[in-house]
Amino acid sequence: MPPSAEGFSKPPVPNRAQRRAEKRRQGKQPGDEGRHRAQVKDPTEVVTHEPMACPHCGTDLSSAGVAGVDVRQVLEVEIRRHVTEHRMEVRRCSCGCEAVAEAPQEATAPACYGPGVRALACYLAIFQHIPYDRMAQFFSDVLGLSVSTGALVKMVHEGGGRLGFFSDVVRDLLKEAPADHFDETGARVTVRLHWVHVASTALVTLFECHERRGTVAMEEMGVIEKMTGVAIHDGWKPYRAYDVVHALCNAHSAERAVMRNSA
């Protein structure tokens, strides 16, 4: 159920007066498992700080023994541009022939973006749903990289085009899973209505965007007609076209039970 459909029946968040009436304190409640910001086992850098003099008598402590260490860690991130310059030497043989060293695979042009920049662009666009113009601003403001929106679009398209082997592995895992969950939802692609189909388990998820909603798209996705487990869905008729064991998801099972009882 979307938040907009909950109406006024959703209970409000308890305020301070309600917490006092229920004798509840802010923060962790008695009996609840505690949470804390844990230290890491492998710090990037270790800086040792030595006390210079005794705070009581003023004695120099430079040669005194260490009685203990109070460890505190500051978790930080390094956000900076990293540029690697590759210089391919040209050497001349005694025979007069010149040989040029082979450039690394990622150095495809005099100035190009590395795999880390490309991976970040795909992550921000696909997982975080950040518009391309804001992504370009982020690269410029935070990383000091001038990346055009066209270059970012190309990076995402190239990343998607290289998912063939990964998608095949996900399909195989879904086919062999004891139960798969299926659904589809509308989405605009270049103004036109398309359908995003999903097949998932607790561990893997496969998305496919298609112009069609029904069996044509499902078969091109290549999961439900080849699976051996239970197909869990919302009961939409096209799913029933496949000879597999079907089950309704919990939300739709409860909805239908209520409808039957009310009838």
Side-chain angles (χ1 to χ4, degrees):
M1 178 181 293
S4 58
E6 293 178 347
F8 295 101
S9 61
K10 183 178 181 180
V13 177
N15 55 31
R16 186 175 299 176
Q18 288 175 306
R19 282 197 296 267
R20 287 201 201 101
E22 297 173 1
K23 297 182 179 180
R24 292 177 56 195
R25 300 177 303 172
Q26 275 190 308
K28 177 182 173 296
Q29 300 302 311
D32 186 24
E33 183 180 352
R35 301 286 190 276
H36 69 283
R37 185 176 297 108
Q39 294 183 337
V40 300
K41 297 181 179 179
D42 52 345
T44 308
E45 181 183 8
V46 176
V47 179
T48 302
H49 303 272
E50 302 175 354
M52 303 305 297
C54 176
H56 178 67
C57 64
T59 302
D60 181 19
L61 298 177
S62 58
S63 60
V66 178
V69 177
D70 179 19
V71 177
R72 303 183 185 184
Q73 293 184 347
V74 178
L75 282 69
E76 187 58 275
V77 293
E78 291 186 2
I79 302 177
R80 60 188 178 89
R81 179 183 62 182
H82 182 85
V83 180
T84 302
E85 181 175 283
H86 298 278
R87 299 183 177 182
M88 281 64 68
E89 293 184 344
V90 181
R91 297 191 178 185
R92 182 178 291 108
C93 177
S94 58
C95 69
C97 178
E98 292 185 348
V100 183
E102 186 176 354
Q105 185 177 3
E106 65 273 15
T108 57
C112 53
Y113 301 110
V117 174
R118 298 173 183 273
L120 182 58
C122 293
Y123 170 76
L124 294 176
I126 303 304
F127 189 80
Q128 296 295 347
H129 304 288
I130 298 179
Y132 285 104
D133 56 345
R134 288 182 57 191
M135 286 172 54
Q137 185 177 359
F138 167 80
F139 276 101
S140 176
D141 295 346
V142 179
L143 301 177
L145 290 174
S146 178
V147 187
S148 67
T149 56
L152 293 171
V153 171
K154 185 178 180 181
M155 291 178 192
V156 174
H157 285 178
E158 290 178 350
R162 296 179 180 179
L163 291 176
F165 176 73
F166 172 79
S167 298
D168 292 340
V169 172
V170 172
R171 284 190 181 88
D172 291 339
L173 293 173
L174 290 169
K175 294 173 190 176
E176 300 170 0
D180 292 337
H181 300 262
F182 295 93
D183 201 1
E184 76 290 330
T185 187
R188 295 288 178 181
V189 178
T190 60
V191 185
R192 296 181 57 191
L193 177 63
H194 284 59
W195 295 91
V196 179
H197 295 258
V198 59
S200 66
T201 66
L203 297 177
V204 294
T205 301
L206 179 65
F207 290 101
E208 288 281 351
C209 185
H210 201 279
E211 295 180 354
R212 304 288 294 275
R213 183 184 181 187
T215 56
V216 174
M218 295 177 185
E219 291 174 5
E220 288 191 17
M221 194 175 192
V223 177
I224 190 169
E225 77 277 13
K226 299 178 182 178
M227 63 178 295
T228 57
V230 180
I232 303 174
H233 48 78
D234 57 6
W236 191 45
K237 188 175 180 180
Y239 289 119
R240 301 286 186 181
Y242 300 98
D243 187 19
V244 296
V245 178
H246 296 272
L248 290 177
C249 65
N250 289 338
H252 290 84
S253 297
E255 179 183 352
R256 295 197 177 191
V258 171
M259 293 174 63
R260 284 195 301 267
N261 293 336
S262 61

